[in-house]
Amino acid sequence: MAHSTATLRLAVGDLRIVHPVTVPSGPVEAADIVPALQGLVNAVVAAAEAGRTVSCRKGCGACCRQLVPVSPSEGERLLCVVAALPRERREALQARFAAAETAIEGAGLDQRQGRSDRDLSVAYFALRLPCPFLEDESCSIHQERPLICREYLVSSPPQLCAGPTQEGVTPLPVPKVSLAARGLQDEADDWFPLALLMAWRRTRPRRTTRRTGPEWMQRFLRQLGRK
Ligand code: SF4
């Protein structure tokens, strides 16, 4: 399929970003433009990081026990990533997802039950549940990790990230471009916890809307403008 490239000039928070994006020219599903969004978020994070000291290192997966909200478009992309893994790795991953699902349901955290985002996040972190994609305290899908994982970097000492209350943890002020991906397929705020990816797959409405890559990108930028 042919591709179209455009140079985006964006003001995101205090940052000025000039970034070329390439998307399929023809009709595709929203998940197909996720790689372009990954590139854009990488550019925003790089600009936010410039001149700052980041404590995050490979092999420190303390933050990978937090609730990771992902959009349906990213969910579809991640399901393709999982489907492309060799069978042994896929089965091991499926087992970790099943264990996470049992723990989350057991704690009653698969439903909001009137909790605020903050309360839900605190209760989730208290479970100390490793992300199913975490292997040897490193992300096994680093190139494909969700947008919000890319945006989370800290400048405080790494040991604070494992503390029960996260007290003293200082995240870098990275604009949350990932939020705009949540409204890509419709205008509602739409997300689910990454650890429930397989549960979401069983129940999700299969969206088959196809738009051209530039049309999806325009929708994303409109959402970004509203955040
Ligand atoms: S996807 Fe990767 S970076 Fe994100 S929480 Fe899971 S292991 Fe960590």
Side-chain angles (χ1 to χ4, degrees):
M1 179 181 286
H3 284 73
S4 307
T5 299
T7 300
L8 299 183
R9 294 171 200 281
L10 299 175
V12 194
D14 295 338
L15 304 174
R16 300 289 173 271
I17 308 293
V18 179
H19 178 70
V21 286
T22 299
V23 290
S25 307
V28 291
E29 294 185 12
D32 296 317
I33 70 148
V34 168
L37 303 184
Q38 292 170 345
L40 176 59
V41 169
N42 289 348
V44 171
V45 171
E49 258 188 290
R52 296 177 192 267
T53 305
V54 174
S55 315
C56 307
R57 296 283 178 273
K58 191 170 192 267
C60 174
C63 65
C64 297
R65 287 158 176 84
Q66 294 188 22
L67 191 161
V68 175
V70 290
S71 63
S73 314
E74 290 179 88
E76 297 291 353
R77 170 86 187 173
L78 286 169
L79 289 175
C80 294
V81 170
V82 172
L85 293 173
R87 191 169 61 121
E88 244 176 59
R89 275 197 66 200
R90 201 169 58 238
E91 286 175 356
L93 192 55
Q94 301 278 15
R96 293 201 293 271
F97 269 107
E101 208 176 304
T102 302
I104 292 168
E105 285 174 6
L109 296 178
D110 54 327
Q111 307 287 335
R112 271 189 165 266
Q113 296 175 340
R115 293 184 190 90
S116 65
D117 284 357
R118 172 78 190 147
D119 287 350
L120 192 60
S121 294
V122 169
Y124 188 98
F125 190 63
L127 292 180
R128 290 284 190 259
L129 196 62
C131 171
F133 288 114
L134 192 66
E135 291 178 2
D136 298 327
E137 294 301 309
S138 290
C139 181
S140 63
I141 54 158
H142 186 75
Q143 297 299 325
E144 290 285 351
R145 68 198 187 286
L147 303 178
I148 200 160
C149 298
R150 293 161 200 262
E151 293 170 336
Y152 191 78
L153 297 167
V154 304
S155 57
S156 42
Q159 58 272 24
L160 294 180
C161 293
T165 59
Q166 304 270 291
E167 203 173 322
V169 174
T170 313
L172 247 58
V174 179
K176 298 294 179 278
V177 172
S178 59
L179 293 178
R182 295 187 192 174
L184 194 55
Q185 305 205 43
D186 54 43
E187 301 310 313
D189 226 20
D190 201 358
W191 63 271
F192 62 90
L194 174 60
L196 294 179
L197 177 66
M198 299 304 159
W200 175 78
R201 179 179 64 175
R202 292 196 297 273
T203 57
R204 77 199 197 277
R206 185 77 181 94
R207 289 164 167 148
T208 52
T209 307
R210 293 169 77 83
R211 303 178 197 275
T212 67
E215 283 169 352
W216 281 122
M217 210 61 212
Q218 281 161 13
R219 285 173 72 87
F220 175 81
L221 293 172
R222 277 201 300 275
Q223 287 291 324
L224 188 59
R226 292 185 188 131
K227 298 295 172 190

